[in-house]
Amino acid sequence: MTLNSSDMPNNKGYFGEYGGQIIPPPLIEIMNEIDAAYEEVRQTEAFQNELAQLYANYVGRPSPVYYAKNLSEKVGGARIFLKREDLNHTGAHKINHCIGEALLAKHMGKTKVLAETGAGQHGVALATACALVGIDCEIHMGEIDIEKEHPNVTKMKILGCKLVPVTRGTRTLKDAVDSAFEEYLKDPVTTMYAIGSVVGPHPFPKIVRDFQSIVGKEAKQQFLTTENKLPDVLIACVGGGSNAMGLFTEFLNDGSVEMIGVEPAGKGLDTDDHAATLSLGSKGAIHGFECITLQDNEGNPLPVYSIASGLDYPGVGPQHCYLRDLKRVEYVSVDDKDCLDAFMQLSRLEGIIPALESAHAVAHAMKIAPTMSSDKIILVNLSGRGDKDADFVADYLSL
Ligand SMILES: *Cc1c(COP(=O)(O)O)cnc(C)c1O
């Protein structure tokens, strides 16, 4: 069996039994129009050239692959390499798909891009892409998150997006999603909803994956050029799963390459405070698609927790669910404590402060490297930089 992206999802938007369009019929029509426009525009040389130029000269791609020698020698065993998505403009992998989505919206003649944001990472990346492409941007964000995430809120304002505070319910991400979605339903013809990960109704898991797949394409080339072989193990953290799909996609048919997705175990899998969806969830529907979710007996999403706010999502991208069932990708979890340890070790041994999200992937690499021989290579997707987390960690650890 081969796992070609062109066969996945199928024409109904399913990866195995996951994905699809669990949305009202009028919206299905709109989603199918987005899919048709995407399939058409992405084939054109003009679109490919525009995207390639922006990746190179605006985002700063290709991002380097860096051999973390000090860290590798400290933990022993396999050599650990980092794909440096933290060096991208705006400091994380999200800009890769936000630029793609903003360009697509513009090519479709949409006048506004809409989205929700939790910690503000998706909001900032999208506001950046919209400023660049020249299209209006409206971001819905819970009042509580607005208070907590001051630097990102300020950035979004400077970048010129319209920030809509959400005052209902929990005043956090969940209600921001509902609020942004209601706004979108008022005018889905001239606006486009820009989803922040490989989640949501078809075609978004496919579109976001395709834009992120540049990460794995570059990495494969970089390893073939410098090491003359492919990495033995790929590791990425999984919230919705976009940075992980970005790294994994190009390697899915390389049988020698093992892949591991790392979910947040938070305060422990035996507590309620985690977001280890693929480890402990069951099949359900959330935000317009079918996937494994953390849900109560009535099928409502459970409150989830992670020290890394980019990972605390009670669902996960449909392709990850499918790859888990196929056993092509293994999913594990890392708790807050090991995440913080990896955060500090990478900072002090390599001078690289990782995002807390990415530190989950680093922590798992540190766990398995000593069990592997020194001729093996682990490649970690360092999805983002830790500037946003520095104050929090310093307080938390009383530095
Ligand atoms: C948002 C975010 C994540 C989680 O999102 P995925 O879609 O799972 O990749 C991971 N790392 C960073 C730095 C983020 O900002």
Side-chain angles (χ1 to χ4, degrees):
M1 172 176 194
T2 55
L3 294 170
N4 296 322
S5 287
S6 52
D7 306 332
M8 278 191 298
N10 68 16
N11 58 9
K12 294 256 180 283
Y14 276 89
F15 303 86
E17 54 183 297
Y18 309 101
Q21 299 172 314
I22 315 299
I23 45 179
L27 255 192
I28 291 182
E29 219 168 285
I30 300 271
M31 290 297 147
N32 290 344
E33 277 169 25
I34 294 176
D35 189 32
Y38 168 70
E39 289 297 340
E40 189 189 320
V41 82
R42 75 159 172 170
Q43 320 268 3
T44 65
E45 220 178 294
F47 186 81
Q48 288 300 338
N49 286 344
E50 193 173 6
L51 192 61
Q53 281 301 317
L54 292 174
Y55 278 172
N57 304 321
Y58 186 78
V59 179
R61 308 206 66 89
S63 66
V65 159
Y66 168 73
Y67 170 39
K69 187 162 178 280
N70 300 334
L71 181 71
S72 301
E73 284 174 357
K74 172 86 185 286
V75 300
R79 288 188 293 157
I80 300 171
F81 288 70
L82 307 173
K83 180 65 172 159
R84 300 289 311 273
E85 292 299 295
D86 61 312
L87 294 178
N88 294 344
H89 177 48
T90 67
H93 71 289
K94 286 194 175 75
I95 193 74
N96 299 329
H97 66 251
C98 285
I99 286 185
E101 287 178 317
L103 276 184
L104 177 63
K106 196 174 172 197
H107 277 265
M108 288 184 72
K110 307 271 182 189
T111 55
K112 187 166 87 177
V113 171
L114 252 171
E116 80 291 338
T117 194
Q121 295 302 110
H122 178 51
V124 169
L126 192 63
T128 301
C130 288
L132 167 74
V133 166
I135 191 165
D136 286 350
C137 180
E138 179 175 318
I139 306 280
H140 292 234
M141 186 171 186
E143 253 186 345
I144 292 186
D145 292 330
I146 289 179
E147 277 161 36
K148 265 182 21 196
E149 308 290 343
H150 192 69
N152 280 342
V153 170
T154 309
K155 283 183 199 164
M156 282 185 270
K157 286 182 182 161
I158 291 173
L159 291 163
C161 84
K162 180 177 168 196
L163 189 69
V164 178
V166 177
T167 56
R168 66 171 95 168
T170 58
R171 294 180 291 152
T172 58
L173 178 62
K174 183 181 164 297
D175 295 284
V177 174
D178 293 341
S179 167
F181 212 68
E182 276 166 32
E183 183 63 28
Y184 176 57
L185 288 179
K186 286 181 196 162
D187 185 9
V189 176
T190 62
T191 59
M192 186 163 107
Y193 203 104
I195 291 176
S197 186
V198 285
V199 298
H202 175 66
F204 281 95
K206 172 180 73 175
I207 292 180
V208 172
R209 172 199 68 195
D210 289 355
F211 288 134
Q212 284 296 344
S213 66
I214 183 75
V215 175
K217 283 186 189 133
E218 286 175 5
K220 185 180 255 187
Q221 210 48 56
Q222 286 162 321
F223 272 92
L224 290 175
T225 307
T226 60
E227 300 291 321
N228 207 20
K229 63 170 261 189
L230 297 180
D232 299 285
V233 181
L234 307 177
I235 303 181
C237 64
V238 176
S242 66
N243 88 86
M245 279 321 306
L247 180 63
F248 296 167
T249 295
E250 186 69 14
F251 295 93
L252 285 176
N253 288 319
D254 295 306
S256 69
V257 181
E258 214 180 294
M259 303 182 195
I260 305 174
V262 184
E263 298 189 309
K267 293 174 186 164
L269 295 187
D270 53 349
T271 72
D272 289 336
D273 293 324
H274 64 78
T277 312
L278 286 165
S279 306
L280 295 179
S282 52
K283 196 172 171 207
I286 185 172
H287 298 143
F289 69 108
E290 295 187 75
C291 66
I292 303 297
T293 70
L294 290 166
Q295 55 190 325
D296 64 18
N297 292 333
E298 269 104 64
N300 301 309
L302 286 170
V304 286
Y305 160 86
S306 166
I307 196 168
S309 53
L311 301 181
D312 61 357
Y313 185 59
V316 61
Q319 194 168 359
H320 284 291
C321 304
Y322 184 49
L323 292 170
R324 181 196 70 159
D325 286 3
L326 292 176
K327 297 191 162 56
R328 180 64 188 93
V329 180
E330 181 193 0
Y331 294 88
V332 300
S333 60
V334 158
D335 66 15
D336 288 358
K337 191 175 150 293
D338 289 349
C339 163
L340 282 167
D341 178 56
F343 179 98
M344 291 307 298
Q345 299 247 30
L346 191 67
S347 298
R348 294 197 169 172
L349 289 166
E350 300 286 353
I352 297 172
I353 303 177
L356 281 169
E357 290 82 1
S358 324
H360 284 79
V362 176
H364 192 68
M366 292 167 62
K367 220 174 275 179
I368 64 168
T371 70
M372 297 165 63
S373 62
S374 59
D375 61 338
K376 298 288 185 191
I377 292 176
I378 299 173
L379 174 61
V380 174
N381 198 7
L382 202 72
S383 54
R385 68 175 83 127
D387 302 35
K388 67 187 179 60
D389 303 312
D391 284 341
F392 170 82
V393 172
D395 276 355
Y396 194 89
L397 299 177
S398 309
L399 299 180

